[in-house]
Amino acid sequence: MNMMVLAGLRPEIIMDVTNRALTFWHYQMYQELQYQKALNKRSCDNLTQAEETYTTEIMKLNALLQKEKRNTEALEKEVENQARHMGELQDQVVQKNRHLQNLMAMNNKLRCNTSTLQPDDGYDATKPKRRHYSLGLQTLRDLRPYDEVLPQNSSGQAQDFVFNPVTPPTRPDERRHFVTKK
């Protein structure tokens, strides 16, 4: 149909119409190319900006990850040290419990020894009552291992604790002189 319009026209007019049509088509292609270049440039700029942003974010996250790894390693070492320390403390508790059990056994043995008193031959006010007490360990130094340090007084000497037993009287007339504080 387009050919029908040009039929019968002079060649100069046909050439002019063709030339204008080609120029218009060329202009449209040029504009399309410029538009595509602008879109490409905008997309590349956005891509570059996104890459820079994400690169910065990745670097921050990597730094944070490294920091958290170091913190995790430090905490794992701390947990390991605490577990080792806990094991040492448990060993010490076991040793102290053994020592306590031994001391309690000795105490029970000594109580059994002290409960066997000699019978009185009658009460005589001029004679002191005869009682046999076996106290065994009497100072803190006897109760503590040799490697523990005793508390020191102001002069720098170790203070020993001396156990002085107080036994309540057994006869009713002696009890009124014995005062207990509650």
Side-chain angles (χ1 to χ4, degrees), residues 25 30 51 61 65 70 88 92 139 143 155 164 176:
W25 180 82
Y30 177 76
E51 283 179 353
L61 290 174
L65 181 64
R70 286 191 300 268
E88 291 171 0
Q92 288 178 1
T139 65
L143 296 174
S155 64
N164 295 322
R176 63 188 149 110

Side-chain angles (χ1 to χ4, degrees), residues 1 11 25 31 34 42 50 65 74 81-82 89 97 101 104 118-119 121 130 145 151 161 167-168 176-177:
M1 175 133 162
W25 180 82
Q31 289 298 321
Q34 293 301 322
R42 191 177 321 138
L65 181 64
N81 288 339
Q82 290 294 331
L89 290 176
N97 282 340
Q101 294 297 327
M104 289 174 72
Q118 286 186 342
D121 294 335
R130 292 177 28 189
F161 173 77
T167 55
R176 63 188 149 110
H177 298 294

